[in-house]
Coordinates of all heavy atoms in Angstrom, one line a residue:
M25 N -3.5 20.0 12.2 CA -4.4 21.0 11.5 C -4.0 21.1 10.0 O -2.9 21.2 9.7 CB -4.4 22.2 12.3 CG -5.3 23.3 11.7 SD -5.3 24.6 12.8 CE -5.9 25.9 11.8
T26 N -5.0 21.2 9.1 CA -4.6 21.3 7.7 C -4.7 22.8 7.4 O -5.7 23.4 7.7 CB -5.6 20.5 6.8 OG1 -5.7 19.1 7.4 CG2 -5.3 20.7 5.5
D27 N -4.0 23.3 6.6 CA -4.0 24.7 6.1 C -5.0 24.8 5.1 O -5.3 23.8 4.2 CB -2.6 25.2 5.7 CG -1.6 25.2 6.6 OD1 -1.9 25.6 7.9 OD2 -0.5 25.2 6.3
S28 N -5.6 26.0 5.1 CA -6.7 26.2 4.1 C -6.4 27.5 3.3 O -6.0 28.4 3.8 CB -8.0 26.3 4.6 OG -9.0 26.6 3.7
Y29 N -6.4 27.4 2.0 CA -5.9 28.5 1.1 C -7.0 28.9 0.2 O -7.8 28.0 -0.4 CB -4.8 28.1 0.2 CG -3.6 27.6 1.0 CD1 -3.2 26.3 1.2 CD2 -2.6 28.7 1.7 CE1 -2.0 26.0 1.9 CE2 -1.6 28.2 2.4 CZ -1.3 27.1 2.5 OH -0.2 26.5 3.2
S30 N -7.2 30.1 -0.1 CA -8.2 30.5 -1.2 C -7.6 30.2 -2.5 O -6.4 29.9 -2.7 CB -8.4 32.0 -1.1 OG -7.1 32.8 -1.6
L31 N -8.6 30.0 -3.5 CA -8.1 29.7 -4.8 C -7.2 30.7 -5.4 O -6.1 30.4 -6.1 CB -9.4 29.6 -5.7 CG -9.1 28.8 -7.0 CD1 -8.6 27.5 -6.8 CD2 -10.5 28.8 -7.7
Q32 N -7.3 31.9 -5.0 CA -6.5 33.1 -5.4 C -5.2 32.8 -4.9 O -4.1 33.0 -5.7 CB -7.1 34.5 -5.0 CG -6.2 35.6 -5.4 CD -6.9 37.0 -5.1 OE1 -7.8 37.0 -4.1 NE2 -6.3 38.1 -5.5
T33 N -5.0 32.5 -3.6 CA -3.7 32.2 -3.0 C -3.0 31.0 -3.7 O -1.9 31.1 -4.1 CB -3.8 32.0 -1.5 OG1 -4.4 33.1 -1.0 CG2 -2.5 31.6 -0.9
V34 N -3.7 30.0 -4.0 CA -3.2 28.8 -4.7 C -2.6 29.1 -6.0 O -1.5 28.8 -6.5 CB -4.2 27.7 -4.8 CG1 -3.9 26.5 -5.6 CG2 -4.6 27.2 -3.3
N35 N -3.5 29.9 -6.8 CA -3.1 30.4 -8.1 C -1.8 31.1 -8.1 O -1.0 31.2 -9.1 CB -4.2 31.0 -8.9 CG -5.2 30.0 -9.2 OD1 -4.8 28.8 -9.5 ND2 -6.4 30.4 -9.3
A36 N -1.6 32.0 -7.1 CA -0.5 32.9 -6.9 C 0.8 32.3 -6.5 O 1.9 32.9 -6.5 CB -0.9 34.2 -6.1
M37 N 0.7 31.1 -5.9 CA 1.9 30.4 -5.3 C 3.0 30.1 -6.5 O 2.6 30.0 -7.7 CB 1.6 29.0 -4.7 CG 0.8 29.1 -3.4 SD 0.4 27.5 -3.0 CE -0.4 27.8 -1.3
S38 N 4.2 30.3 -6.1 CA 5.2 29.9 -7.0 C 5.2 28.4 -7.2 O 4.5 27.8 -6.5 CB 6.7 30.1 -6.3 OG 6.9 29.4 -5.3
A39 N 5.7 27.9 -8.3 CA 5.7 26.4 -8.4 C 6.3 25.6 -7.3 O 5.8 24.7 -6.8 CB 6.5 26.0 -9.8
Q40 N 7.4 26.2 -6.7 CA 8.0 25.5 -5.6 C 7.1 25.6 -4.3 O 6.9 24.6 -3.7 CB 9.3 26.1 -5.1 CG 10.1 25.6 -4.0 CD 11.4 26.2 -3.7 OE1 11.9 27.0 -4.4 NE2 11.8 26.0 -2.5
G41 N 6.3 26.8 -4.2 CA 5.6 26.9 -3.0 C 4.3 26.0 -3.2 O 3.7 25.4 -2.2
F42 N 3.7 25.9 -4.4 CA 2.7 24.9 -4.6 C 3.1 23.6 -4.3 O 2.4 22.8 -3.7 CB 2.2 25.1 -6.1 CG 1.1 24.3 -6.5 CD1 -0.2 24.7 -6.4 CD2 1.2 23.0 -7.0 CE1 -1.4 24.1 -6.6 CE2 -0.1 22.2 -7.3 CZ -1.3 22.8 -7.1
V43 N 4.2 23.0 -4.6 CA 4.6 21.7 -4.5 C 4.9 21.5 -2.9 O 4.6 20.4 -2.4 CB 6.0 21.3 -5.2 CG1 6.6 20.0 -4.8 CG2 5.6 21.3 -6.8
E44 N 5.5 22.5 -2.2 CA 5.7 22.4 -0.9 C 4.4 22.2 -0.2 O 4.3 21.5 0.9 CB 6.4 23.7 -0.3 CG 8.0 23.7 -0.7 CD 8.6 25.1 -0.4 OE1 8.0 25.9 0.3 OE2 9.7 25.1 -0.7
N45 N 3.4 22.8 -0.5 CA 2.0 22.9 0.2 C 1.2 21.8 -0.3 O 0.3 21.2 0.6 CB 1.3 24.2 -0.1 CG 1.7 25.3 0.7 OD1 1.5 25.3 1.9 ND2 2.5 26.2 0.0
F46 N 1.4 21.3 -1.6 CA 0.5 20.2 -2.0 C 1.3 18.9 -2.5 O 0.6 18.0 -3.0 CB -0.3 20.7 -3.3 CG -1.3 21.9 -2.7 CD1 -0.9 23.1 -3.2 CD2 -2.4 21.7 -2.0 CE1 -1.8 24.3 -2.8 CE2 -3.2 22.8 -1.5 CZ -2.9 23.8 -2.0
G47 N 2.5 18.9 -2.3 CA 3.3 17.8 -2.8 C 3.1 16.5 -2.1 O 3.4 15.4 -2.6
D48 N 2.4 16.5 -1.0 CA 2.1 15.2 -0.2 C 0.6 14.8 -0.4 O 0.2 13.7 0.2 CB 2.4 15.4 1.3 CG 3.6 14.8 1.7 OD1 4.4 14.1 0.8 OD2 4.0 14.9 2.9
I49 N 0.0 15.3 -1.3 CA -1.4 15.0 -1.6 C -1.4 13.5 -2.1 O -2.1 12.7 -1.7 CB -2.1 15.9 -2.5 CG1 -2.5 17.2 -1.8 CG2 -3.3 15.1 -3.3 CD1 -3.3 18.2 -2.6
A50 N -0.4 13.2 -3.0 CA -0.2 11.9 -3.5 C 1.2 11.6 -2.8 O 2.3 11.8 -3.3 CB 0.0 11.9 -5.0
E51 N 1.1 10.9 -1.5 CA 2.2 10.7 -0.7 C 3.5 10.2 -1.5 O 3.4 9.2 -2.3 CB 1.9 9.7 0.3 CG 2.9 9.5 1.3 CD 2.5 8.6 2.5 OE1 1.3 8.3 2.7 OE2 3.4 8.1 3.3
H52 N 4.6 10.7 -1.3 CA 5.9 10.3 -1.8 C 6.0 10.4 -3.4 O 6.8 9.9 -4.1 CB 6.3 8.9 -1.4 CG 6.3 8.6 0.0 ND1 7.1 9.2 0.9 CD2 5.5 7.8 0.6 CE1 6.9 8.7 2.1 NE2 5.9 7.9 2.1
S53 N 5.0 11.3 -3.9 CA 4.9 11.5 -5.3 C 4.7 13.1 -5.6 O 3.8 13.4 -6.1 CB 3.7 10.8 -5.8 OG 4.0 9.4 -5.6
P54 N 5.6 13.9 -5.3 CA 5.6 15.3 -5.5 C 5.4 15.6 -6.9 O 4.9 16.7 -7.4 CB 6.7 16.0 -4.9 CG 7.8 14.8 -4.8 CD 6.9 13.6 -4.6
W55 N 5.7 14.7 -7.9 CA 5.6 15.0 -9.3 C 4.2 15.2 -9.7 O 3.9 15.8 -10.6 CB 6.2 13.8 -10.2 CG 5.5 12.4 -9.8 CD1 5.9 11.5 -8.9 CD2 4.4 11.9 -10.4 NE1 5.1 10.4 -9.1 CE2 4.1 10.6 -9.9 CE3 3.6 12.3 -11.4 CZ2 3.2 9.8 -10.3 CZ3 2.4 11.4 -11.8 CH2 2.2 10.4 -11.3
V56 N 3.2 14.6 -8.9 CA 1.8 14.9 -9.2 C 1.5 16.4 -9.0 O 0.7 17.1 -9.8 CB 0.9 14.1 -8.3 CG1 -0.6 14.2 -8.6 CG2 1.2 12.6 -8.5
A57 N 1.8 16.9 -7.8 CA 1.7 18.4 -7.6 C 2.4 19.1 -8.6 O 1.9 20.3 -9.1 CB 2.1 18.8 -6.3
E58 N 3.6 18.9 -9.0 CA 4.4 19.6 -10.0 C 3.5 19.6 -11.3 O 3.4 20.7 -12.0 CB 5.7 18.9 -10.3 CG 6.6 19.1 -9.1 CD 7.9 18.3 -9.4 OE1 8.1 17.5 -10.3 OE2 8.8 18.4 -8.3
G59 N 3.1 18.4 -11.7 CA 2.2 18.4 -13.1 C 0.9 19.2 -12.8 O 0.5 20.0 -13.9
A60 N 0.2 19.1 -11.8 CA -1.0 19.9 -11.6 C -0.7 21.4 -11.6 O -1.5 22.2 -12.1 CB -1.7 19.5 -10.2
A61 N 0.5 21.8 -10.9 CA 0.7 23.2 -10.8 C 0.8 23.8 -12.3 O 0.6 25.1 -12.4 CB 2.1 23.5 -10.1
S62 N 1.2 23.1 -13.3 CA 1.4 23.6 -14.6 C 0.1 24.0 -15.3 O 0.1 24.6 -16.3 CB 2.3 22.6 -15.5 OG 1.4 21.5 -15.7
H63 N -1.2 23.6 -14.6 CA -2.4 23.8 -15.2 C -3.0 25.1 -14.6 O -4.2 25.3 -14.8 CB -3.3 22.6 -15.1 CG -2.8 21.5 -15.8 ND1 -2.9 21.4 -17.2 CD2 -2.2 20.3 -15.4 CE1 -2.5 20.2 -17.6 NE2 -1.9 19.5 -16.5
R64 N -2.3 25.7 -13.6 CA -2.8 26.9 -13.0 C -2.9 28.0 -14.1 O -2.2 28.0 -15.0 CB -2.0 27.4 -11.9 CG -2.1 26.5 -10.8 CD -1.3 26.8 -9.5 NE 0.1 26.7 -9.9 CZ 1.0 27.5 -9.3 NH1 0.7 28.2 -8.1 NH2 2.3 27.4 -9.6
P65 N -3.8 28.9 -13.8 CA -4.6 29.1 -12.8 C -6.0 28.2 -12.9 O -6.5 28.0 -13.9 CB -5.2 30.6 -12.9 CG -5.1 30.9 -14.4 CD -4.0 30.0 -14.8
F66 N -6.3 27.7 -11.6 CA -7.6 26.9 -11.5 C -8.7 27.9 -11.3 O -8.7 29.0 -10.8 CB -7.4 26.0 -10.2 CG -6.1 25.2 -10.3 CD1 -5.2 25.2 -9.3 CD2 -6.0 24.1 -11.4 CE1 -4.1 24.4 -9.2 CE2 -5.0 23.3 -11.2 CZ -3.9 23.4 -10.2
Q67 N -9.8 27.5 -12.0 CA -11.0 28.2 -11.8 C -11.8 27.8 -10.7 O -12.7 28.6 -10.3 CB -11.8 28.1 -13.2 CG -11.1 28.5 -14.4 CD -10.7 30.0 -14.3 OE1 -11.4 30.9 -13.9 NE2 -9.3 30.3 -14.5
S68 N -11.6 26.6 -10.2 CA -12.4 26.1 -9.1 C -11.6 25.1 -8.2 O -10.6 24.5 -8.8 CB -13.7 25.5 -9.5 OG -13.4 24.3 -10.3
R69 N -12.1 24.6 -7.1 CA -11.5 23.7 -6.3 C -11.5 22.2 -7.1 O -10.6 21.4 -7.2 CB -12.2 23.4 -5.1 CG -11.7 22.5 -4.1 CD -12.5 22.5 -2.7 NE -12.2 21.4 -2.0 CZ -12.7 20.2 -1.9 NH1 -13.6 19.9 -2.7 NH2 -12.2 19.3 -1.1
E70 N -12.7 22.1 -7.7 CA -13.0 20.8 -8.5 C -12.0 20.8 -9.7 O -11.5 19.7 -9.9 CB -14.5 20.9 -9.0 CG -15.4 20.7 -7.9 CD -15.7 21.8 -7.2 OE1 -15.5 23.1 -7.6 OE2 -16.2 21.8 -5.9
E71 N -11.8 21.8 -10.3 CA -10.8 21.8 -11.4 C -9.4 21.5 -10.9 O -8.6 20.6 -11.5 CB -10.6 23.2 -12.2 CG -9.7 23.1 -13.3 CD -9.4 24.4 -13.9 OE1 -9.9 25.5 -13.7 OE2 -8.5 24.4 -14.9
M72 N -9.0 22.0 -9.7 CA -7.7 21.7 -9.0 C -7.6 20.2 -8.7 O -6.7 19.4 -9.2 CB -7.5 22.3 -7.9 CG -6.1 22.1 -7.2 SD -6.0 23.3 -5.8 CE -4.7 22.4 -4.9
I73 N -8.7 19.6 -8.2 CA -8.7 18.1 -7.8 C -8.7 17.4 -9.2 O -7.9 16.3 -9.3 CB -10.0 17.9 -7.1 CG1 -9.9 18.5 -5.8 CG2 -10.2 16.3 -7.0 CD1 -11.2 18.4 -5.0
N74 N -9.4 17.7 -10.2 CA -9.3 17.0 -11.5 C -8.0 17.0 -12.2 O -7.6 16.1 -12.9 CB -10.5 17.6 -12.4 CG -11.8 17.4 -12.1 OD1 -12.0 16.3 -11.4 ND2 -12.8 18.1 -12.5
R75 N -7.3 18.1 -12.0 CA -5.9 18.3 -12.6 C -4.9 17.2 -11.9 O -4.2 16.6 -12.6 CB -5.3 19.6 -12.6 CG -6.2 20.6 -13.4 CD -6.1 20.3 -14.9 NE -6.8 21.3 -15.7 CZ -6.9 21.3 -17.0 NH1 -6.4 20.2 -17.7 NH2 -7.5 22.2 -17.6
F76 N -5.1 17.1 -10.5 CA -4.3 16.2 -9.9 C -4.5 14.8 -10.4 O -3.6 14.0 -10.7 CB -4.6 16.2 -8.3 CG -3.7 17.3 -7.6 CD1 -4.0 18.5 -7.6 CD2 -2.5 16.9 -6.9 CE1 -3.1 19.5 -6.8 CE2 -1.7 17.7 -6.3 CZ -2.0 19.0 -6.2
A77 N -5.9 14.5 -10.5 CA -6.2 13.2 -11.2 C -5.8 12.9 -12.5 O -5.3 11.8 -12.8 CB -7.8 13.0 -11.0
E78 N -5.9 13.9 -13.3 CA -5.4 13.8 -14.7 C -3.9 13.6 -14.8 O -3.5 12.7 -15.6 CB -5.7 15.1 -15.5 CG -7.1 15.3 -15.8 CD -7.5 16.6 -16.6 OE1 -6.5 17.3 -16.9 OE2 -8.6 16.9 -16.8
V79 N -3.2 14.3 -14.0 CA -1.7 14.0 -14.1 C -1.4 12.5 -13.6 O -0.5 11.9 -14.2 CB -1.1 15.1 -12.9 CG1 0.4 14.7 -12.8 CG2 -1.1 16.4 -13.5
M80 N -2.0 12.1 -12.5 CA -1.9 10.6 -12.2 C -2.2 9.8 -13.3 O -1.5 8.7 -13.7 CB -2.5 10.3 -10.9 CG -1.9 11.0 -9.7 SD -2.7 10.5 -8.2 CE -4.1 11.7 -8.2
Q81 N -3.5 10.0 -13.9 CA -3.9 9.0 -14.9 C -3.1 9.0 -16.2 O -3.1 8.1 -17.0 CB -5.4 9.4 -15.2 CG -6.3 9.1 -14.1 CD -7.7 9.6 -14.1 OE1 -8.0 10.4 -15.1 NE2 -8.6 9.3 -13.3
N82 N -2.5 10.2 -16.6 CA -1.8 10.3 -17.7 C -0.3 10.0 -17.6 O 0.4 9.9 -18.7 CB -1.9 11.7 -18.3 CG -3.3 12.1 -18.8 OD1 -4.1 11.2 -19.2 ND2 -3.6 13.4 -18.7
A83 N 0.0 9.7 -16.4 CA 1.5 9.3 -16.2 C 1.7 7.7 -16.7 O 0.8 7.1 -17.1 CB 1.7 9.1 -14.8
A84 N 3.0 7.6 -17.0 CA 3.4 6.3 -17.5 C 2.9 5.1 -16.6 O 3.0 5.4 -15.4 CB 5.0 6.3 -17.8
E85 N 2.6 3.9 -17.1 CA 2.3 3.0 -16.2 C 3.3 2.6 -15.1 O 2.8 2.3 -13.9 CB 2.0 1.6 -17.1 CG 1.2 0.6 -16.2 CD 0.8 -0.4 -17.1 OE1 0.0 -0.2 -18.0 OE2 0.8 -1.7 -16.7
E86 N 4.5 2.7 -15.4 CA 5.4 2.4 -14.3 C 5.4 3.4 -13.2 O 5.6 3.1 -12.1 CB 6.8 2.2 -14.8 CG 7.2 0.8 -15.4 CD 7.1 -0.3 -14.4 OE1 7.6 -0.2 -13.3 OE2 6.4 -1.3 -14.6
T87 N 5.2 4.6 -13.6 CA 5.0 5.7 -12.7 C 3.8 5.6 -11.9 O 3.9 5.8 -10.6 CB 5.1 7.1 -13.5 OG1 6.2 7.2 -14.3 CG2 5.0 8.3 -12.5
Q88 N 2.7 5.1 -12.5 CA 1.5 4.8 -11.7 C 1.8 3.8 -10.6 O 1.3 3.9 -9.6 CB 0.4 4.5 -12.8 CG -0.1 5.7 -13.6 CD -1.2 5.3 -14.5 OE1 -1.6 4.1 -14.6 NE2 -1.7 6.1 -15.2
L89 N 2.4 2.8 -11.2 CA 2.7 1.6 -10.2 C 3.5 2.0 -9.1 O 3.3 1.6 -7.9 CB 3.3 0.4 -10.9 CG 2.3 -0.3 -11.9 CD1 3.2 -1.4 -12.7 CD2 1.2 -1.0 -11.1
A90 N 4.4 3.0 -9.3 CA 5.4 3.3 -8.3 C 4.6 4.2 -7.3 O 4.8 4.2 -5.9 CB 6.5 4.3 -8.8
L91 N 3.6 5.0 -7.8 CA 2.6 5.9 -6.9 C 1.8 4.9 -6.0 O 1.7 5.0 -4.8 CB 1.8 6.7 -7.8 CG 0.8 7.7 -6.9 CD1 0.8 9.0 -7.4 CD2 -0.6 7.1 -7.0
I92 N 1.2 3.9 -6.7 CA 0.4 2.8 -6.0 C 1.3 2.2 -4.8 O 0.9 2.0 -3.8 CB -0.2 1.9 -6.9 CG1 -1.3 2.6 -7.8 CG2 -0.9 0.7 -6.1 CD1 -1.7 1.8 -9.0
R93 N 2.4 1.8 -5.3 CA 3.3 1.1 -4.2 C 3.7 2.0 -3.1 O 3.9 1.5 -2.0 CB 4.5 0.5 -4.9 CG 4.0 -0.6 -5.8 CD 5.3 -1.2 -6.5 NE 4.8 -2.4 -7.3 CZ 5.2 -2.4 -8.7 NH1 5.8 -1.5 -9.3 NH2 4.6 -3.5 -9.4
A94 N 3.6 3.3 -3.3 CA 4.0 4.3 -2.2 C 2.7 4.4 -1.3 O 3.0 4.9 -0.2 CB 4.5 5.6 -2.9
H95 N 1.6 3.9 -1.6 CA 0.5 3.9 -0.9 C -0.1 2.5 -0.6 O -1.0 2.1 -1.2 CB -0.7 4.6 -1.6 CG -0.5 6.0 -1.8 ND1 -0.9 7.0 -0.9 CD2 0.1 6.7 -2.9 CE1 -0.3 8.2 -1.4 NE2 0.1 7.9 -2.6
P96 N 0.7 1.7 0.1 CA 0.4 0.3 0.4 C -1.1 0.1 0.9 O -1.7 -0.9 0.6 CB 1.4 -0.2 1.5 CG 2.0 1.1 2.0 CD 1.9 2.1 1.0
D97 N -1.7 1.0 1.7 CA -3.1 0.8 2.1 C -4.0 1.0 1.0 O -5.1 0.3 1.1 CB -3.4 1.9 3.2 CG -2.6 1.8 4.5 OD1 -2.1 0.6 4.7 OD2 -2.5 2.8 5.2
L98 N -3.6 1.6 -0.1 CA -4.5 1.6 -1.3 C -4.2 0.6 -2.3 O -5.1 0.3 -3.1 CB -4.3 3.1 -1.9 CG -4.7 4.3 -1.1 CD1 -4.4 5.5 -1.7 CD2 -6.1 4.2 -0.6
A99 N -3.0 0.1 -2.2 CA -2.6 -0.8 -3.3 C -3.3 -2.1 -3.4 O -3.6 -2.6 -4.4 CB -1.1 -0.9 -3.2
G100 N -3.5 -2.7 -2.3 CA -4.0 -4.1 -2.3 C -2.9 -5.1 -2.6 O -1.8 -4.7 -3.1
K101 N -3.2 -6.3 -2.4 CA -2.2 -7.4 -2.6 C -1.8 -7.6 -4.0 O -0.7 -7.8 -4.3 CB -2.8 -8.7 -2.2 CG -3.0 -8.7 -0.4 CD -3.5 -10.1 -0.1 CE -3.7 -10.1 1.3 NZ -4.3 -11.4 1.8
A102 N -2.7 -7.3 -4.9 CA -2.5 -7.5 -6.4 C -1.4 -6.5 -6.8 O -0.4 -6.7 -7.5 CB -3.7 -7.4 -7.2
A103 N -1.6 -5.3 -6.4 CA -0.8 -4.2 -6.9 C 0.7 -4.3 -6.3 O 1.7 -4.1 -6.9 CB -1.4 -2.8 -6.6
L104 N 0.7 -4.7 -5.1 CA 1.9 -4.9 -4.4 C 2.7 -6.1 -5.0 O 4.0 -6.2 -5.0 CB 1.8 -5.1 -2.8 CG 1.4 -3.8 -2.2 CD1 1.0 -4.1 -0.7 CD2 2.3 -2.7 -2.2
S105 N 2.0 -7.0 -5.5 CA 2.7 -8.3 -6.0 C 3.0 -8.1 -7.5 O 3.6 -9.0 -8.1 CB 1.7 -9.5 -5.8 OG 0.7 -9.4 -6.7
G106 N 2.6 -6.8 -8.0 CA 3.0 -6.8 -9.5 C 1.7 -7.2 -10.3 O 1.9 -7.2 -11.6
E107 N 0.8 -7.7 -9.9 CA -0.4 -8.1 -10.7 C -1.0 -6.9 -11.4 O -1.2 -5.8 -10.9 CB -1.5 -8.7 -9.9 CG -1.1 -10.1 -9.3 CD -1.1 -11.2 -10.2 OE1 -1.8 -11.4 -11.2 OE2 -0.2 -12.1 -10.2
P108 N -1.3 -7.1 -12.7 CA -1.9 -5.9 -13.4 C -3.4 -5.7 -13.0 O -4.0 -6.5 -12.5 CB -1.9 -6.4 -14.9 CG -1.8 -7.9 -14.9 CD -1.1 -8.2 -13.5
N109 N -3.7 -4.4 -13.0 CA -5.0 -3.9 -12.6 C -5.9 -4.2 -13.8 O -5.6 -4.6 -14.9 CB -5.0 -2.5 -12.2 CG -4.7 -1.6 -13.3 OD1 -4.8 -1.9 -14.4 ND2 -4.3 -0.3 -13.0
G110 N -7.3 -3.9 -13.6 CA -8.2 -4.2 -14.5 C -8.0 -3.3 -15.8 O -8.2 -3.8 -17.0
R111 N -7.7 -2.1 -15.5 CA -7.5 -1.2 -16.7 C -6.2 -1.8 -17.7 O -6.5 -1.8 -18.8 CB -7.1 0.2 -16.3 CG -7.1 1.2 -17.4 CD -6.9 2.6 -16.9 NE -5.6 2.9 -17.2 CZ -4.9 3.8 -16.5 NH1 -5.4 4.4 -15.6 NH2 -3.6 4.0 -16.7
F112 N -5.2 -2.2 -17.0 CA -4.1 -2.8 -17.7 C -4.6 -4.0 -18.4 O -4.3 -4.3 -19.6 CB -3.0 -3.1 -16.8 CG -1.7 -3.6 -17.5 CD1 -0.9 -2.9 -18.3 CD2 -1.5 -5.0 -17.4 CE1 0.2 -3.5 -18.8 CE2 -0.5 -5.6 -17.9 CZ 0.5 -4.8 -18.8
Q113 N -5.3 -4.9 -17.8 CA -5.7 -6.2 -18.5 C -6.7 -5.9 -19.7 O -6.6 -6.7 -20.6 CB -6.5 -7.0 -17.4 CG -5.6 -7.6 -16.3 CD -6.3 -8.4 -15.3 OE1 -7.4 -8.1 -15.0 NE2 -5.6 -9.3 -14.7
K114 N -7.5 -4.8 -19.6 CA -8.3 -4.6 -20.6 C -7.5 -4.1 -21.8 O -7.7 -4.5 -23.0 CB -9.3 -3.4 -20.4 CG -10.4 -3.9 -19.5 CD -11.3 -2.8 -19.1 CE -12.4 -3.0 -18.1 NZ -13.1 -2.0 -17.6
R115 N -6.4 -3.3 -21.6 CA -5.6 -2.9 -22.7 C -4.8 -3.9 -23.3 O -4.5 -3.9 -24.4 CB -4.7 -1.8 -22.1 CG -5.1 -0.5 -22.0 CD -4.4 0.7 -21.8 NE -3.0 0.3 -21.2 CZ -2.7 0.8 -20.0 NH1 -3.2 1.6 -19.4 NH2 -1.4 0.5 -19.7
T116 N -4.5 -5.0 -22.6 CA -3.7 -6.1 -23.1 C -4.4 -7.3 -23.4 O -3.9 -8.4 -23.6 CB -2.5 -6.4 -22.0 OG1 -3.1 -6.9 -20.7 CG2 -1.6 -5.3 -21.8
G117 N -5.7 -7.2 -23.4 CA -6.6 -8.4 -23.6 C -6.4 -9.5 -22.6 O -6.6 -10.7 -22.8
G118 N -6.3 -9.1 -21.2 CA -6.2 -10.0 -20.1 C -4.6 -10.7 -20.0 O -4.6 -11.5 -19.1
R119 N -3.9 -10.5 -21.0 CA -2.5 -11.1 -20.9 C -1.7 -10.5 -19.7 O -1.8 -9.4 -19.4 CB -1.7 -10.8 -22.1 CG -2.4 -11.5 -23.3 CD -1.4 -11.4 -24.6 NE -1.1 -9.9 -24.7 CZ -1.6 -9.2 -25.4 NH1 -2.8 -9.4 -25.9 NH2 -1.1 -7.9 -25.6
R120 N -1.0 -11.4 -19.0 CA -0.2 -10.8 -18.0 C 1.1 -10.4 -18.6 O 1.6 -11.1 -19.5 CB 0.0 -11.9 -16.9 CG -1.2 -12.2 -16.2 CD -1.0 -13.2 -15.0 NE 0.1 -12.7 -14.2 CZ 0.2 -13.2 -13.0 NH1 -0.4 -14.2 -12.7 NH2 1.2 -12.7 -12.3
A121 N 1.8 -9.4 -18.0 CA 3.1 -8.9 -18.6 C 4.2 -9.7 -18.1 O 4.1 -10.4 -17.0 CB 3.3 -7.4 -18.1

């Protein structure tokens, strides 16, 4: 069973409490919840979700790869083998690192 919290409760959590409750949203990557917590108070559920996404998207590439590798079901064969993703290839003109 998943716990449900009001936005008011989420915004009132200590940083540690927030990470304890939401640190597994990005499995094995509590740094995502830590980063999202710094953007409180959230005005809506959607804002909270967007902040989690922003924290992941703004992380260093190696940090993003570590997160992807922590989620083998999401990573796919290319990510697990170290192949760059489409976004990386666009930034590097298709060159492999």
Side-chain angles (χ1 to χ4, degrees):
M25 182 174 158
T26 303
D27 292 332
S28 180
Y29 301 103
S30 71
L31 198 56
Q32 182 178 9
T33 300
V34 169
N35 286 331
M37 289 178 180
S38 67
Q40 179 179 349
F42 187 88
V43 172
E44 287 172 3
N45 284 287
F46 300 106
D48 258 355
I49 285 180
E51 186 178 346
H52 305 297
S53 303
W55 59 268
V56 178
E58 290 169 0
S62 70
H63 294 285
R64 292 180 296 159
F66 303 118
Q67 301 302 308
S68 66
R69 177 180 178 272
E70 290 75 25
E71 180 187 357
M72 181 177 162
I73 292 167
N74 289 337
R75 294 300 185 178
F76 271 82
E78 286 174 10
V79 169
M80 290 184 279
Q81 291 168 353
N82 291 331
E85 190 164 316
E86 277 302 313
T87 304
Q88 290 179 359
L89 288 173
L91 182 134
I92 291 168
R93 289 179 181 127
H95 295 273
D97 293 337
L98 300 176
K101 291 180 182 178
L104 291 173
S105 69
E107 292 287 323
N109 65 22
R111 193 176 98 204
F112 179 77
Q113 287 176 332
K114 287 178 188 172
R115 286 198 324 248
T116 61
R119 295 184 312 274
R120 291 184 59 168

